[in-house]
Amino acid sequence: MKKFLAAAMAMVIAGMTLAGCGSTTDDTKNGDAANGDIPVIGISQYAQHASLDNCREGFLLGLKESGLVEGKDYIIDYQNAGADDNITQQIAQNFSARNVALMCGIATNSATACYAAAEDKNIPVIFTAISDPVEAKLDSGNITGTSDKLPIEQQLKLIRDLQPEAKSIGIIYTTSEPNSVSAVREYEEKAAQYGFVIETIGVMQQSEVLQAVDNMIAKNVDCMTNLTDNNVVNVLPSILEKTNDAKIPVYGSEIEQVKIGCAASAGIEYVAVGKRTGEMAAMILKGEKTAEEMPYETIDTAEIYINPAVMEAMDIHPNDEILASAIDVTAE
């Protein structure tokens, strides 16, 4: 009964709010979902930044390369929550009320909301850009997808190679984000093997991040490393302004963060992550497998990305081995 009332309320609210959340839906597409003429895939993306955009791009590519044709085999209803948890729930309830064929949650908050909204109707859910599905409780039921587990040991080794004298690494993270909590725990467990101490500051919401950066700078850390924490990544350009002034290098968790000013990263490529998710979604739509029959997959093949201009400004000098194997993001 509670879920029924929540769904009814969400439909009223969604009618007023979703138009401003990146919707691609029109009345015809709603009709298709209701009548079952063409399967509708509801994509809920938690926030608007390059990493998650790349996941969505890859997801659509995976559907296409699996032989499905948009407009014929499926219709996309893309919604962006703007990093607002209330809107993620509204989007998911709207998808559920319309009986979409499949929900795709990009990032943990969106995937969790989709799974909760889909549960009563047994609508399959597929996720991407979730570092720890087990911690997020998205590892069983009518749900599957791809995990972007951070290559933490490779990142620690990279930082040690680039900053031989460094002793401390700062991490700012969202305390309610299961992926971030899990990643911080792993950093703390493994840091000593590479001679580091981890300094952490937890935040509850995006508005607290820049103050946390000031506090981290005051701790005189030797560098900072980013997770795939959306509250942090959403304000990364502002973070970098502060850390650049303080001459504290920041290491990213994937290529897009390095492109906009992080020094380097041992990270995965998010278009590839999204592409595999799209391939899995295609199997569900074709009836080849159910979400329950496909365990989630972890994509953990990492590349080294470097931003030479940033490293020079930070007086970081990569060795020949790194230069030979790394991808220079400024050369693309």
Side-chain angles (χ1 to χ4, degrees):
M1 184 67 180
K2 288 182 179 179
K3 289 192 175 182
F4 175 81
L5 292 172
M9 291 177 66
M11 287 183 67
V12 174
I13 297 170
M16 297 184 289
T17 62
L18 290 182
C21 301
S23 172
T24 60
T25 306
D26 57 29
D27 290 340
T28 301
K29 291 179 182 179
N30 285 346
D32 284 331
N35 297 329
D37 298 329
I38 302 176
V40 173
I41 301 174
I43 299 178
S44 175
Q45 181 173 319
Y46 182 62
Q48 190 81 47
H49 62 71
S51 304
L52 301 186
D53 291 344
N54 284 352
C55 282
R56 187 179 77 253
E57 177 188 335
F59 179 76
L60 299 175
L61 182 62
L63 291 170
K64 181 179 179 180
E65 292 191 359
S66 296
L68 299 181
V69 178
E70 186 173 2
K72 176 186 175 184
D73 299 310
Y74 64 90
I75 290 172
I76 294 293
D77 181 0
Y78 164 62
Q79 305 285 346
N80 194 298
D84 187 317
D85 287 339
N86 291 325
I87 294 179
T88 63
Q89 295 173 29
Q90 293 165 18
I91 291 169
Q93 291 290 350
N94 179 262
F95 288 161
S96 178
R98 292 174 50 222
N99 289 310
V100 298
L102 176 75
M103 296 189 201
C104 174
I106 303 178
T108 304
N109 303 54
S110 287
T112 301
C114 285
Y115 189 41
E119 192 173 9
D120 283 351
K121 295 188 175 181
N122 205 32
I123 297 171
V125 176
I126 196 159
F127 60 76
T128 189
I130 296 182
S131 300
D132 194 338
V134 176
E135 187 86 17
K137 296 180 174 58
L138 296 174
D139 58 327
S140 63
N142 198 15
I143 186 168
T144 189
T146 53
S147 168
D148 59 337
K149 187 178 186 311
L150 292 173
I152 289 173
E153 286 207 53
Q154 289 142 292
Q155 182 88 331
L156 287 166
K157 181 181 185 304
L158 176 65
I159 297 172
R160 174 52 69 212
D161 288 342
L162 292 175
Q163 291 186 258
E165 305 301 320
K167 294 180 175 62
S168 58
I169 300 174
I171 301 176
I172 295 170
Y173 72 103
T174 304
T175 56
S176 61
E177 171 58 68
N179 296 327
S180 297
V181 172
S182 174
V184 166
R185 185 165 59 240
E186 186 175 350
Y187 264 108
E188 290 174 334
E189 289 170 354
K190 295 179 176 178
Q193 300 172 34
Y194 295 88
F196 292 117
V197 172
I198 301 296
E199 297 281 356
T200 63
I201 296 178
V203 299
M204 296 183 66
Q205 54 195 3
Q206 187 172 299
S207 60
E208 300 172 8
V209 172
L210 294 183
Q211 181 59 54
V213 174
D214 290 335
N215 294 339
M216 188 64 77
I217 291 171
K219 290 175 177 282
N220 293 314
V221 293
D222 294 302
C223 63
M224 291 171 57
T225 190
N226 270 343
L227 310 177
T228 51
D229 189 303
N230 289 295
N231 281 329
V232 178
V233 175
N234 281 341
V235 293
L236 183 54
S238 297
I239 292 172
L240 291 171
E241 287 182 15
K242 290 176 175 289
T243 55
N244 287 344
D245 287 344
K247 294 295 182 183
I248 295 175
V250 177
Y251 295 92
S253 55
E254 47 81 43
I255 186 173
E256 299 298 339
Q257 295 179 21
V258 182
K259 285 180 178 179
I260 65 173
C262 288
S265 170
I268 58 177
E269 206 281 302
Y270 275 86
V271 173
V273 175
K275 181 181 173 182
R276 180 54 189 156
T277 316
E279 292 167 352
M280 296 170 78
M283 286 189 276
I284 295 171
L285 290 177
K286 291 177 179 180
E288 296 173 354
K289 287 187 177 181
T290 67
E292 288 181 286
E293 291 171 340
M294 288 188 286
Y296 76 85
E297 298 181 14
T298 300
I299 312 297
D300 57 5
T301 302
E303 298 280 359
I304 301 298
Y305 303 103
I306 59 172
N307 189 319
V310 172
M311 289 196 291
E312 183 178 355
M314 293 291 171
D315 198 26
I316 294 173
H317 307 287
N319 59 38
D320 290 342
E321 181 182 353
I322 291 174
L323 290 173
S325 61
I327 297 169
D328 180 348
V329 301
T330 63
E332 293 188 350

